[in-house]
Amino acid sequence: MKQFLKQLYLNNLLFYCLMGIITLFVVSYLFPSLYNACWYLLFVLLVFVLIDILLLFGFGHKIEATRITPEKLSNGDENPIVIKIKNKYTFPVQAKIIDEIPTQFQQRNFEVKRKIKATSNDEYQYFLRPTARGEYFFGSVNFYASSPLGLVAKRYTFSKDEMVPTYPSYIQLRKYDLMAFSNHLFQYGLKKIRRIGHTMEFEQIKEYVQGDDIRTINWKATAKRNQLMVNQFQDEKSQNVYMVIDKGRVMKMPFNGLSLLDYAINATLVLSNVIIKKQDKAGMFAFSKKVENRVVAEKRQNQMQNIMESLYNIKTDFFESDYSRLYVDIKKHINHRSLIMLYTNFETLDALHRQLPYLKGIAKNHLVVVVFFNNTELNDLIEKKAETVQEIYDKVIAEKFAFEKRLIVNELRKYGIYSVLTQPENLTLDTINKYLEIKARGIL
């Protein structure tokens, strides 16, 4: 009986019918002839309620449902969640589905209403976009089934207490999986990079075709074959590339729900895959008060899995970052000349000058690329037409900050430090472009 009462729910239609009958009882005081009709209507309503209960409860469990989630969620992306339903009733069911989604999404009114045909299967798909890494706990899928009478509903509960971890954006990783091959870059909206030169790693001698660099003609082979032959070179391989993620206070700023730190983590995952596909060695670490989450640069088969797990486990309290510790750590642990992609953020020229001595020290032995961010909200303020004195003042201040960003780029260039100034949503594409540009120019 207790189980029956837990599953039984009264629908709004039943309350509307009761309110109508109560209203007729009130009216019957003025028109006594209606009194007997009211009792008759109440009896008919109770009979229909009993019939409805028998239809829903009299044949056991007639609804089966399950929630299908990805093995892990992709941070910052739309992740599909599917609810599959099997209706064993011999009549169509009016269904109300309430999925208890993780508290991180703060969606407390999630409700789906569907009509499911008799003895048929159905499914419903919705999407969730997480904005933080970690463990996400799903509750139950609550299914309220109503017969065509619609007076009462039977509650079914499925898929209780399921945990799904949220990892850095592996959906982007799949999307850009072929991006390492320069002849396919146009398919993804990336700029083509003109090769200014080539490395001296010889690959083969081949016949000349239109478009080959005439400076690579092999005259001895041409004389032997009596046709133009050229030397073909390939990019120098097995170079070390480290992605260094600043997880300090400056990376806490959010854009479109994601912090700059999570944008950097997502970009690091995708860029690591491109680096390994280009036969280079990918490594990474993060720092704030100390250096953590280290993965030594390698191109082993399980390197991507190591990087993904390390990125997933990045934790921070957003303390002030210690660049002196970063300098000492790189000096100690990275002995070969490497490409250092530093994800950080500088809002003012003064902020850069405080860290510039350490960046210059790192740049003596390595090729350093500082990746930092445009404030897109300031760009919106600059583009907006000012109509009041306050808006003019705000616009001038925003333009000053935007100008300082460009000064930072020039200041870094003076000391041979490369930079990428990008918007958060374009971070992945711009960092891949910079890496491919460096590879094409052979400056590492």
Side-chain angles (χ1 to χ4, degrees), residues 6-161:
K6 282 186 176 181
Q7 293 180 331
L8 178 63
Y9 281 79
L10 306 181
N11 288 336
N12 290 339
L13 179 60
L14 176 59
F15 291 104
Y16 294 150
C17 292
L18 288 174
M19 289 174 61
I21 292 173
I22 291 171
T23 302
L24 289 176
F25 270 112
V26 173
V27 174
S28 68
Y29 280 98
L30 300 176
F31 303 96
S33 59
L34 292 176
Y35 184 74
N36 290 332
C38 294
W39 281 106
Y40 176 76
L41 290 174
L42 181 60
F43 176 76
V44 171
L45 179 61
L46 292 176
V47 170
F48 275 109
V49 169
L50 290 174
I51 293 173
D52 207 0
I53 292 174
L54 286 174
L55 289 174
L56 293 172
F57 289 83
F59 304 99
H61 293 279
K62 290 292 186 177
I63 295 291
E64 294 179 2
T66 182
R67 181 202 300 117
I68 300 176
T69 61
E71 182 180 348
K72 51 184 177 287
L73 300 178
S74 177
N75 193 25
D77 298 312
E78 297 289 345
N79 296 266
I81 311 295
V82 178
I83 297 176
K84 290 193 172 183
I85 306 160
K86 185 174 184 180
N87 178 21
K88 297 181 180 179
Y89 286 112
T90 56
F91 51 82
V93 169
Q94 292 289 343
K96 182 170 73 171
I97 306 167
I98 299 177
D99 194 3
E100 298 174 359
I101 63 178
T103 56
Q104 289 94 328
F105 296 103
Q106 291 297 300
Q107 294 186 20
R108 304 179 183 180
N109 58 346
F110 183 92
E111 181 180 306
V112 178
K113 293 184 178 180
R114 297 178 73 84
K115 183 176 182 180
I116 304 173
K117 296 179 180 179
T119 59
S120 66
N121 298 329
D122 192 14
E123 69 177 42
Y124 173 76
Q125 183 181 59
Y126 65 96
F127 294 87
L128 294 176
R129 180 179 181 266
T131 56
R133 288 162 291 112
E135 296 180 344
Y136 285 62
F137 291 89
F138 287 83
S140 302
V141 176
N142 299 288
F143 189 99
Y144 298 87
S146 300
S147 73
L149 295 176
L151 296 174
V152 298
K154 182 179 180 180
R155 176 188 175 185
Y156 294 88
T157 304
F158 306 98
S159 302
K160 296 182 179 178
D161 301 331

Side-chain angles (χ1 to χ4, degrees), residues 300-421:
R300 294 176 298 182
Q301 188 173 5
N302 64 340
Q303 185 71 352
M304 280 306 302
Q305 183 62 32
N306 293 338
I307 291 174
M308 179 176 283
E309 291 297 332
S310 184
L311 291 172
Y312 172 73
N313 290 313
I314 287 180
K315 310 294 182 193
T316 181
D317 292 322
F318 293 106
F319 291 115
E320 193 71 27
S321 297
D322 188 349
Y323 276 76
S324 64
R325 188 177 292 272
L326 172 66
Y327 168 74
V328 171
D329 189 271
I330 291 177
K331 189 82 172 176
K332 180 179 179 181
H333 292 100
I334 305 180
N335 300 320
H336 300 286
R337 178 172 171 82
S338 305
L339 171 59
I340 307 292
M341 302 285 291
L342 173 59
Y343 294 92
T344 185
N345 196 33
F346 295 112
E347 289 294 338
T348 64
L349 203 56
D350 290 337
L352 171 66
H353 283 152
R354 287 196 296 270
Q355 315 301 346
L356 192 56
Y358 307 112
L359 295 176
K360 289 162 59 178
I362 298 171
K364 288 181 181 179
N365 301 312
H366 305 282
L367 181 62
V368 179
V369 178
V370 176
V371 183
F372 62 112
F373 300 88
N374 263 322
N375 191 324
T376 54
E377 294 184 3
L378 287 182
N379 292 341
D380 294 339
L381 190 60
I382 292 171
E383 295 172 1
K384 182 181 177 182
K385 183 178 179 181
E387 297 180 351
T388 65
V389 174
Q390 182 63 42
E391 289 178 351
I392 293 173
Y393 176 79
D394 293 340
K395 187 171 183 177
V396 170
I397 296 298
E399 290 175 346
K400 176 181 178 297
F401 278 109
F403 180 67
E404 284 216 38
K405 293 280 188 179
R406 296 191 291 273
L407 289 179
I408 291 171
V409 173
N410 293 332
E411 188 73 8
L412 290 169
R413 188 183 297 122
K414 281 168 44 178
Y415 300 101
I417 301 173
Y418 292 82
S419 62
V420 176
L421 177 59

